[in-house]
Amino acid sequence: MREPLIPLREAILFPNAILPLIIARKFSKKAFYKAVKNGNYVLFLTQKDATVEFPEKKDLYTIGSLGKIIQHIETPDGMIRCIAQGIERVKVKNLVKKGPAEDFYFEAEYEEYPFASIDEKKQVFYIRMIKDVFRNLLRIERFIPDELLPSLMTSKDKLEVAYIIASNMPLPISQRQALLEQKNVESFLKNLHKLLVEELEFKQLKEKIEEKVKEEIRKGQKQVFLTEQMRQIQRELGYEEPDEFSSYFEAIKKAGMPREVEEKARSELNRLRKTPAFSPEATVIRTYLDWLINLPWNKRTKDNLDLKNVKKILDQDHYGLEEPKSRILEYLAVLKLKGRLRGQVLCFVGPPGVGKTSLAMSIARSLGRKFVRMSLGGVRDEAEIRGHRRTYVGALPGRIIQGVKKAGSKNPVFLLDEIDKVGMDFRGDPYAALMEVLDPEVNKNFQDHYLELEFDLSEVLFITTANTSYTIPLALRDRMEIIRLPGYLDIEKFHIAKKHLIPKLLKDAGLPESYFNISDNAIYTIIRTHTKEAGVRELERKLNKLIRISAKNYVEKKKKTYIKEKNINKYLGPPPYAKKESEKELPSGVVYGLAWTETGGEILRVEVLNLEGKGGLILTGQLGDVLQESAKAALSYVRSRAKLLDIDEKFYEKRDLHLHIPEGSIPKDGPSAGLAIMCAMISSLTKIPFPSDTAVTGEITLTGEVLKIGGLPEKISAAKRGGIKRVILPEENRAELAKIKPSLKEGVDFFFVKHVDQVLSKIFKVDYIRKTYRGDIQVVGSS
């Protein structure tokens, strides 16, 4: 069987359904006229892609409907409007183009492809369910032509009803085609019912959401109406308050803004006047104006320039710390002479617990300035410093501007805590942003991304803290004055405990002073055997525990607590740290080195064992790459001096050296242990013990030069804690030692060396070397 074929776009004709069509394409009109001549019968297949203008066989579904043209009319613009009625479902077997290439039409060979029938009762059941869902859908949205509704609602439960509904459903073409291609009536009705239910749920949810939106709009309109009504009533009663724009105008006048900032604020206020009151943009403008108005553009606190009073306050709050205190007094002296000083940037570097943060707070108190603290630990986003641009939802200024606003003055003491722990990732480099903040030459024109205006930070006293300065970029380090706070000595910790910690802890606990008695020896015992730190935090925790025990005795028995050296272990338990003093005599192959850590200095016990072997170097104790390289360099130098040291020159072929640094669970690295490792190797090979009261530190080269090391104050502090009497240092550290406070050097002799051979001469008594370097070792006494 053959009939003309019209391809459909975005439409499907079901059997017994009526479909209005507009025919515009030339080949479709040709097929239409051919069908009119042959009894009005025509085939309808749907295109897979509606955008294809000249479809081929592959662009059409193979299952469609045979339809009949019921009526038609030609329009003045050359198109044909018609109504087609589906007759039966068909399957197209072949498709051909009839006529010349420029004036063709489609003709198709087809076969009947009816739905397999089902039990009539079951069919009626499905159709009734479909009609029920359909009625509910119609209450929400009319998607069926009005002329079809009466016949649908009043018709009996026939299959034609389902066809008409399927034909007019607002569904994607692929889903409607899938319905047409179902194998039997039952699957067709089931899938149609499922799609109708899904569409109904979607329409109900949409209607619910739209109703909520309308309700919110009604509430907003009601609020606007009531607000305006209230304003009019207040005006009639004479209670009218200044409107929002007048309030902003007056606030801008009183804020003391620079001229360009005031112009920007007035411009934003004019924008606010033209913006609808409840639009999101109005909220953004209000927030921006609030920030501009509340920033201290011209507000500053008066500095306390009485140097004696400032020194008194600093001494009250902190014991020792002479260098930072002296630096603050110098700053104030210049400020008193000049009247104004550009912003200074101090960087306190030291181990945890030595008072870096509390010292910054004391500086603010002594100067009479407001204090602001910002922790930089873990900060990875540059916007934390500079803020977000106003184009972002919820944008705010950076934490620098937020801190200045919180202080309420433009000359606060601003503490940037843990500056060595700033991170960096795809969101930017906070260090780069800090360079502008901390550069006294340019921070007077600091520009926050949110404000988009310059704010003068030159009067802010910036103070930064760090545990180490090595992780701070050199360009940023160059903008700061580094003040090192080494670990406290035992006597300093004792005075801090007596003058500061114990009175503070007693006050916090609410315990009368007379009910807590602790001897001086007990405090020293806690410092030496119950704590191991450069600062005083652990000491504070131990004292706090003793005060809590005393408070318990006072509450339960009204009893005084006496804490002495003899009973300290009763309250605090066995001492976790035995007093680490140098041994009376060290075995050969053992040397004391000195190490720097973030928590202060440590004594390193460097051990080398001389074993039978094949010249291997065994390294244990979690030694880092740099430390391993130092060990290899030390071994090479020992080999070069084997003859002078009276060591078998071929020892490296017959012996293995095993280097170990105890406390193997702790990683160790750095070049400054090179000299100690070399001394331990020589001691092990020559069987000459190294002096037990001597420690060495220094980086060595293959030619024997001893290079400068870092962390000198911390290392000397560790040596004193460990009972070391002599320390061998690189000559290049002589100038640095001179700057260290005398109390830290007291009781220790310092030997300066330029070359390894000077150590061999002094310690291992090598005659040739002693003659060569006679008098070269210089000693700085402990006086």
Side-chain angles (χ1 to χ4, degrees):
M1 292 181 285
R2 286 177 175 272
E3 293 292 350
L5 182 140
I6 296 178
L8 298 178
R9 293 194 283 195
E10 298 295 338
I12 292 179
L13 180 62
F14 280 81
N16 300 108
I18 293 173
L19 184 66
L21 294 170
I22 298 175
I23 301 171
R25 289 185 285 189
K26 187 177 179 181
F27 57 83
S28 294
K29 289 194 284 184
K30 184 95 173 174
F32 173 81
Y33 290 129
K34 185 72 175 174
V36 170
K37 288 180 183 179
N38 297 332
N40 290 334
Y41 290 102
V42 64
L43 291 172
F44 292 99
L45 289 184
T46 301
Q47 289 183 202
K48 296 176 182 176
D49 183 358
T51 61
V52 177
E53 189 65 27
F54 297 99
E56 301 292 336
K57 184 178 180 180
K58 61 183 175 58
D59 299 318
L60 301 172
Y61 292 106
T62 57
I63 296 175
S65 293
L66 176 66
K68 186 175 183 179
I69 306 299
I70 299 173
Q71 55 180 305
H72 71 276
I73 185 172
E74 295 186 24
T75 62
D77 55 4
M79 293 190 292
I80 301 170
R81 291 179 178 273
C82 69
I83 295 176
Q85 182 175 15
I87 297 174
E88 60 181 346
R89 186 172 74 156
V90 298
K91 186 174 185 179
V92 171
K93 297 165 65 179
N94 192 25
L95 180 68
V96 295
K97 291 181 180 179
K98 289 285 188 176
E102 67 278 0
D103 194 24
F104 72 93
Y105 69 92
F106 288 112
E107 187 176 273
E109 182 183 348
Y110 69 95
E111 63 181 7
E112 294 178 354
Y113 192 63
F115 287 109
S117 60
I118 59 169
D119 180 67
E120 187 176 350
K121 288 184 179 179
K122 190 180 284 188
Q123 178 176 305
V124 170
F125 171 74
Y126 279 124
I127 292 173
R128 284 181 179 175
M129 287 198 305
I130 289 169
K131 286 175 71 175
D132 287 342
V133 179
F134 178 67
R135 286 191 188 94
N136 291 329
L137 261 174
L138 287 179
R139 293 192 187 101
I140 300 172
E141 182 181 354
R142 292 286 183 96
F143 56 86
I144 296 285
D146 291 341
E147 58 268 19
L148 292 178
L149 283 176
S151 59
L152 276 176
M153 293 295 99
T154 58
S155 66
K156 295 181 181 179
D157 300 323
K158 294 183 179 180
L159 194 56
E160 288 77 5
V161 174
Y163 288 146
I164 294 171
I165 293 172
S167 183
N168 290 276
M169 277 278 291
L171 293 172
I173 204 70
S174 59
Q175 290 185 343
R176 283 190 280 167
Q177 181 68 28
L179 286 174
L180 184 62
E181 293 181 1
Q182 294 298 316
K183 291 182 179 179
N184 53 56
V185 172
E186 183 175 5
S187 61
F188 166 73
L189 294 174
K190 272 185 179 179
N191 281 282
L192 178 59
H193 179 260
K194 180 185 174 185
L195 291 171
L196 282 168
V197 170
E198 289 175 355
E199 186 68 15
L200 176 62
E201 289 176 351
F202 172 75
K203 297 291 185 187
Q204 287 174 335
L205 180 60
K206 181 183 175 186
E207 186 181 40
K208 190 175 180 181
I209 293 171
E210 286 176 349
E211 185 58 36
K212 285 184 178 178
V213 172
K214 289 176 183 176
E215 182 63 28
E216 290 296 323
I217 292 172
R218 283 196 293 269
K219 282 182 181 177
Q221 291 171 338
K222 182 181 177 182
Q223 186 175 358
V224 172
F225 173 75
L226 291 175
T227 303
E228 184 59 33
Q229 194 176 43
M230 186 180 295
R231 188 180 289 117
Q232 295 299 332
I233 292 171
Q234 288 176 338
R235 184 177 296 169
E236 290 295 327
L237 294 173
Y239 299 134
E240 184 180 8
E241 295 181 0
D243 63 19
E244 180 185 33
F245 304 112
S246 301
S247 300
Y248 273 126
F249 186 80
E250 290 299 320
I252 291 169
K253 280 176 64 177
K254 295 177 182 177
M257 303 173 181
R259 184 175 55 81
E260 61 273 13
V261 177
E262 188 171 340
E263 287 175 0
K264 176 71 172 174
R266 294 191 189 283
S267 172
E268 291 295 320
L269 183 57
N270 290 332
R271 279 185 61 210
L272 183 61
R273 290 179 191 274
K274 300 170 186 176
T275 307
F278 291 94
S279 74
E281 182 64 19
T283 305
V284 172
I285 296 171
R286 285 191 193 95
T287 306
Y288 182 70
L289 284 172
D290 289 339
W291 274 101
L292 291 183
I293 290 167
N294 291 317
L295 280 174
W297 299 98
N298 204 25
K299 297 177 185 174
R300 53 179 63 82
T301 53
K302 186 177 179 182
D303 286 330
N304 172 21
L305 299 179
D306 184 346
L307 268 61
K308 290 183 179 178
N309 185 49
V310 170
K311 188 176 187 308
K312 181 181 177 183
I313 292 172
L314 291 174
D315 289 339
Q316 283 176 355
D317 291 350
H318 290 84
Y319 180 85
L321 304 178
E322 299 304 327
E323 186 179 354
K325 290 178 183 178
S326 174
R327 180 65 189 83
I328 294 302
L329 294 174
E330 291 166 9
Y331 169 80
L332 283 179
V334 176
L335 182 62
K336 189 171 184 179
L337 291 172
K338 192 174 179 182
R340 184 176 177 180
L341 194 65
R342 71 180 186 181
Q344 300 293 299
V345 183
L346 307 179
C347 181
F348 297 152
V349 177
V354 296
K356 300 183 294 295
T357 302
S358 59
L359 179 60
M361 295 171 67
S362 293
I363 290 170
R365 190 167 79 90
S366 64
L367 292 175
R369 292 190 179 190
K370 300 290 182 68
F371 177 76
V372 183
R373 176 182 173 273
M374 173 184 171
S375 177
L376 293 174
V379 170
R380 294 178 176 272
D381 190 353
E382 180 221 2
E384 291 274 347
I385 310 297
R386 290 185 182 274
H388 291 88
R389 301 194 184 277
R390 282 190 290 157
T391 50
Y392 294 99
V393 176
L396 284 173
R399 289 169 65 184
I400 299 294
I401 293 295
Q402 289 185 37
V404 173
K405 180 198 169 192
K406 180 182 176 184
S409 73
K410 66 181 299 184
N411 64 336
V413 173
F414 204 124
L415 175 66
L416 299 171
D417 219 357
E418 310 291 357
I419 197 170
D420 57 325
K421 296 174 180 63
V422 174
M424 182 176 63
D425 62 11
F426 64 93
R427 289 169 289 188
D429 183 2
Y431 276 130
L434 283 170
M435 286 184 193
E436 182 185 0
V437 174
L438 299 180
D439 191 335
E441 297 293 337
V442 298
N443 65 8
K444 62 183 177 183
N445 300 318
F446 174 71
Q447 192 169 85
D448 186 274
H449 286 159
Y450 179 82
L451 296 181
E452 296 178 335
L453 294 165
E454 292 180 353
F455 190 90
D456 184 2
L457 295 176
S458 62
E459 295 182 50
V460 178
L461 175 56
F462 284 106
I463 297 176
T464 65
T465 69
N467 295 129
T468 172
S469 61
Y470 303 116
T471 57
I472 304 172
L474 185 60
L476 183 58
R477 211 185 317 161
D478 186 55
R479 287 163 167 78
M480 302 185 292
E481 182 176 344
I482 304 242
I483 298 176
R484 299 194 177 275
L485 280 65
Y488 292 118
L489 302 175
D490 289 352
I491 189 169
E492 291 175 321
K493 291 181 181 180
F494 170 78
H495 286 295
I496 290 169
K498 290 277 283 186
K499 295 180 180 179
H500 299 282
L501 297 182
I502 293 174
K504 172 180 169 286
L505 294 171
L506 286 172
K507 183 180 178 182
D508 291 345
L511 181 68
E513 289 185 25
S514 58
Y515 282 83
F516 178 76
N517 296 278
I518 183 168
S519 68
D520 293 351
N521 286 339
I523 295 174
Y524 273 114
T525 301
I526 296 171
I527 292 168
R528 289 167 180 164
T529 65
H530 288 268
T531 65
K532 183 184 179 183
E533 59 178 344
V536 291
R537 284 184 183 154
E538 184 65 22
L539 174 60
E540 183 176 5
R541 282 191 284 271
K542 297 296 182 184
L543 291 171
N544 197 18
K545 182 176 181 180
L546 295 175
I547 287 172
R548 289 198 306 270
I549 293 169
S550 302
K552 182 185 172 197
N553 291 337
Y554 172 70
V555 171
E556 289 180 348
K557 308 171 186 176
K558 296 291 181 184
K559 177 184 173 184
K560 294 183 179 180
T561 303
Y562 295 90
I563 298 167
K564 300 181 179 179
E565 186 179 3
K566 293 180 181 178
N567 65 358
I568 191 72
N569 294 343
K570 173 185 172 184
Y571 298 112
L572 297 181
Y577 309 107
K579 187 180 177 185
K580 246 190 178 180
E581 291 187 351
S582 53
E583 301 172 24
K584 290 182 179 178
E585 188 174 338
L586 291 175
S588 60
V590 178
V591 172
Y592 286 132
L594 297 173
W596 175 93
T597 68
E598 287 191 3
T599 57
E602 292 288 342
I603 293 179
L604 284 183
R605 183 183 171 98
V606 181
E607 301 176 347
V608 173
L609 197 59
N610 179 7
L611 306 166
E612 286 189 14
K614 297 181 181 180
L617 177 61
I618 305 167
L619 304 170
T620 57
Q622 275 216 66
L623 310 185
D625 292 342
V626 176
L627 195 55
Q628 292 183 34
E629 291 171 1
S630 297
K632 293 171 184 175
L635 178 58
S636 295
Y637 191 79
V638 171
R639 286 175 57 183
S640 73
R641 283 289 188 261
K643 185 175 181 180
L644 296 175
L645 291 165
D646 200 21
I647 300 172
D648 181 3
E649 292 185 56
K650 301 290 184 180
F651 78 90
Y652 57 87
E653 295 178 356
K654 308 170 187 176
R655 313 294 296 178
D656 285 347
L657 292 182
H658 184 167
L659 168 65
H660 179 71
I661 300 179
E663 297 186 57
S665 63
I666 301 172
K668 308 164 192 75
D669 207 357
S672 65
L675 186 58
I677 292 170
M678 189 213 66
C679 291
M681 287 178 175
I682 294 172
S683 173
S684 178
L685 289 167
T686 60
K687 305 298 182 184
I688 299 173
F690 198 84
S692 62
D693 62 351
T694 303
V696 296
T697 180
E699 179 182 356
I700 61 171
T701 69
L702 287 174
T703 57
E705 292 181 30
V706 181
L707 304 182
K708 186 177 182 180
I709 51 92
L712 186 60
E714 290 82 0
K715 290 179 178 180
I716 294 172
S717 180
K720 283 202 68 168
R721 287 200 303 270
I724 297 293
K725 302 298 182 187
R726 300 173 186 83
V727 177
I728 298 175
L729 297 172
E731 177 66 34
E732 293 178 2
N733 286 100
R734 182 188 292 272
E736 185 180 355
L737 182 72
K739 296 178 183 178
I740 293 175
K741 57 186 178 183
S743 59
L744 188 60
K745 299 182 284 188
E746 189 177 350
V748 181
D749 289 334
F750 298 94
F751 297 81
F752 294 95
V753 295
K754 295 179 181 178
H755 198 277
V756 168
D757 288 351
Q758 293 173 271
V759 182
L760 303 185
S761 168
K762 178 155 187 74
I763 303 296
F764 298 103
K765 314 297 183 186
V766 180
D767 290 338
Y768 170 77
I769 298 175
R770 290 177 70 186
K771 292 173 185 175
T772 306
Y773 287 99
R774 184 177 299 161
D776 273 5
I777 294 184
Q778 296 185 27
V779 183
V780 175
S782 60
S783 58

